[in-house]
Amino acid sequence: MMRGIVKGKWIILLAWIVIVAGLLLTAPGMADLVREKGNLDVPEGYSSSLAADLLNDIQKEGDSSAALVFTSEKKLSDTDMLEIEQGIQALEKDQTKLGIAGITTHFNEPDLKDQLVSKDGKTVLVSLTMNMKDREPKQVLAALYDRIEDNKVEHYYTGDWIISEDLNTNSQEGLKKTEGITVVFILVVLLLVFRSVVTPIIPLITVGFSYLASQSVVAFLVDRFDFPISSYTQIFLVAVLFGIGTDYCILLLSRYKEELSKQESILEAIVETYRTGGKTVFYSGLAVMIGFAAIGFSTFKLYQSAAAVAIGVAFLLLALYTVVPFFMAVFGMKLFWPSKGKLEHKESRFWGFLGTFALNRPVIALTFVAVICIPFLLTYDGEVSYNSLEEAGDDVPSIMAFNVIAESFGPGQSMPTQIVIDNDEQMNSEEYIGLAEKV
């Protein structure tokens, strides 16, 4: 099999380039898919999802709520209040154009002043009912900000859909940083391991092909078959594929380097590399692929979305058996340039010493491990946070607004908890109204 792959190496590489390019040109955008289908909905059967279904039955389709916050570090002056009122009037003027179905403010309803103006006078809250129609959240939000762009009082919008949009944008920016840091880190590690300027390129190209192809295939599956996706899917793919892909490439290239000094030809060195190290890579990758595929059977969408990694690993294994042999065959001994000297693998004195010591003195070795691990086990408090807003940082506009409302009015003012009471009988009687008030 490997002899055939090496023989048709140029055709295989060309096929990879054509397939990856074709997928990239035709696949839907992942960012748009995450925005459209990546909400981390609670699975069916839980109380919150049951309540959401009931609310959807009685709410107007396309209606969403939003909060507009005007805030200052010191108490808002009369001039500030006039500026805020003019900003609200500007929104009211273009209400239809902006898709605003209703505006609730203490300027129009003075009785709500205690609820919409903070006690310290530093924050004014405006409630908006939005009709999104067929517009993207990004477009709606941009239009809202543009309309009061010249307002001198610091202001932000927040709400479920706005926070989701900002978190999606934040995750895309985080993905770009992750990709950059990963590539740099891999280059440094490979330069240290092989002391070659050629070798580090091979894992990056191999994993790069795998990542681009699998990402596009996942996009098609999400678009056509509602394959689970979240804002973390691409980050899962990058982290796992570049992690294990680099590891597998190091193993194969190290074995190849060793076989070059033992075999009579480059072809035999490649065949022997995959006869030994190739099996290890295949079974290890298969285990990872099965593990991530099994995650797809979970109920929570965030975990389900990690199943995309299984597709990525399948492409990675294919690339390891086709793309890496191409470079081995084309470059031969030059693959490790400018490293000089013999190519055979040398035993490591350091790891040899540690291994021998651990075998001969197991109690002492375990004691060292305990000394390192026990302090962490004793100091770990086990506290976890379920606040996903903390992941994006405090500089995101919608989260800044949420924090301002939480400090000035309480978190419930921004995202109030809704209690839904469902009954077979009509509940517009005095008895049921009293019950609702008790709840």
Side-chain angles (χ1 to χ4, degrees):
M1 176 184 173
M2 186 51 62
R3 294 178 191 276
I5 290 172
V6 173
K7 187 177 180 180
K9 57 185 180 293
W10 289 103
I11 296 174
I12 291 173
L13 182 67
L14 181 62
W16 266 106
I17 294 172
V18 170
I19 291 170
V20 171
L23 287 171
L24 288 175
L25 291 173
T26 57
M30 283 290 281
D32 294 332
L33 289 173
V34 170
R35 186 178 292 109
E36 182 184 347
K37 300 184 177 185
N39 292 330
L40 299 180
D41 300 323
V42 178
E44 294 183 5
Y46 289 86
S47 58
S48 56
S49 58
L50 292 171
D53 292 338
L54 292 170
L55 285 172
N56 288 333
D57 292 338
I58 61 174
Q59 289 178 336
K60 291 182 180 179
E61 187 177 354
D63 277 3
S64 302
S65 61
L68 169 59
V69 180
F70 292 91
T71 187
S72 175
E73 293 183 358
K74 56 184 179 180
K75 186 175 180 179
L76 294 165
S77 63
D78 292 339
T79 304
D80 292 332
M81 284 295 185
L82 180 61
E83 187 77 15
I84 293 170
E85 188 172 12
Q86 289 174 347
I88 296 169
Q89 288 171 352
L91 292 174
E92 289 174 333
K93 185 178 179 182
D94 290 343
Q95 206 167 315
T96 304
K97 181 180 176 182
L98 293 170
I100 300 175
I103 300 178
T104 304
T105 169
H106 80 282
F107 292 108
N108 298 334
E109 301 180 49
D111 292 342
L112 297 176
K113 185 174 182 180
D114 290 341
Q115 285 77 41
L116 300 178
V117 179
S118 63
K119 291 181 180 180
D120 57 13
K122 296 180 180 180
T123 304
V124 171
L125 182 61
V126 181
S127 178
L128 306 176
T129 302
M130 303 296 304
N131 193 305
M132 309 294 286
K133 298 180 181 177
D134 295 327
R135 296 177 300 167
E136 295 290 333
K138 193 175 184 178
Q139 295 175 320
V140 176
L141 190 58
L144 289 172
Y145 270 111
D146 287 343
R147 189 62 189 89
I148 55 173
E149 183 181 9
D150 298 329
N151 199 283
K152 297 176 183 178
V153 180
E154 188 177 357
H155 56 276
Y156 308 102
Y157 291 95
T158 191
D160 282 341
W161 62 276
I162 301 174
I163 289 176
S164 295
E165 178 64 27
D166 282 344
L167 287 176
N168 181 54
T169 302
N170 185 265
S171 68
Q172 292 300 315
E173 292 173 355
L175 175 65
K176 292 176 183 177
K177 292 179 182 178
T178 301
E179 290 172 342
I181 292 170
T182 301
V183 169
V184 172
F185 181 75
I186 288 172
L187 284 172
V188 171
V189 169
L190 292 172
L191 283 170
L192 291 173
V193 171
F194 292 105
R195 296 183 180 88
S196 166
V197 295
V198 180
T199 313
I201 300 173
I202 284 73
L204 289 179
I205 294 176
T206 303
V207 180
F209 275 155
S210 309
Y211 171 65
L212 293 175
S214 59
Q215 177 185 257
S216 299
V217 169
V218 169
F220 277 118
L221 291 174
V222 173
D223 187 45
R224 306 284 173 83
F225 304 103
D226 288 329
F227 189 85
I229 188 175
S230 73
S231 57
Y232 299 96
T233 299
Q234 288 173 283
I235 295 176
F236 288 153
L237 278 169
V238 170
V240 177
L241 291 187
F242 277 92
I244 66 172
T246 303
D247 190 26
Y248 294 160
C249 281
I250 288 175
L251 190 152
L252 290 172
L253 293 172
S254 297
R255 288 289 298 117
Y256 176 61
K257 186 177 181 181
E258 188 175 349
E259 291 299 332
L260 279 173
S261 60
K262 295 180 180 180
Q263 304 300 326
E264 295 180 358
S265 67
I266 291 174
L267 176 59
E268 292 302 322
I270 296 173
V271 171
E272 189 61 23
T273 295
Y274 278 88
R275 191 185 68 80
T276 53
K279 289 182 180 179
T280 303
V281 167
F282 176 77
Y283 288 119
S284 176
L286 187 63
V288 175
M289 186 170 65
I290 293 172
F292 276 97
I295 293 177
F297 292 104
S298 61
T299 56
F300 191 39
K301 196 172 183 179
L302 172 61
Y303 302 131
Q304 289 178 346
S305 69
V309 177
I311 297 172
V313 175
F315 276 99
L316 175 63
L317 289 175
L318 186 62
L320 288 169
Y321 272 78
T322 54
V323 178
V324 175
F326 168 86
F327 289 105
M328 289 177 174
V330 171
F331 286 96
M333 294 184 181
K334 294 178 182 178
L335 191 66
F336 304 99
W337 183 86
S339 180
K340 297 180 180 180
K342 295 182 179 181
L343 294 175
E344 72 268 12
H345 175 70
K346 295 180 180 179
E347 293 294 334
S348 171
R349 292 183 180 180
F350 175 72
W351 294 111
F353 167 76
L354 288 182
T356 303
F357 179 82
L359 285 171
N360 295 334
R361 301 285 189 276
V363 176
I364 298 176
L366 288 173
T367 302
F368 275 120
V369 174
V371 168
I372 295 171
C373 295
I374 288 176
F376 291 101
L377 294 172
L378 294 176
T379 55
Y380 175 63
D381 55 18
E383 290 184 7
V384 294
S385 172
Y386 299 98
N387 185 3
S388 59
L389 303 187
E390 292 178 350
E391 297 175 11
D394 296 332
D395 56 344
V396 178
S398 60
I399 295 175
M400 292 170 68
F402 178 86
N403 291 335
V404 167
I405 296 172
E407 292 172 6
S408 302
F409 303 97
Q413 287 292 92
S414 176
M415 293 183 182
T417 298
Q418 293 176 302
I419 299 174
V420 182
I421 304 174
D422 185 34
N423 193 34
D424 294 333
E425 299 178 11
Q426 289 188 350
M427 292 189 289
N428 56 352
S429 65
E430 185 177 339
E431 178 187 355
Y432 282 116
I433 291 173
L435 177 63
E437 287 179 352
K438 278 188 177 182
V439 173

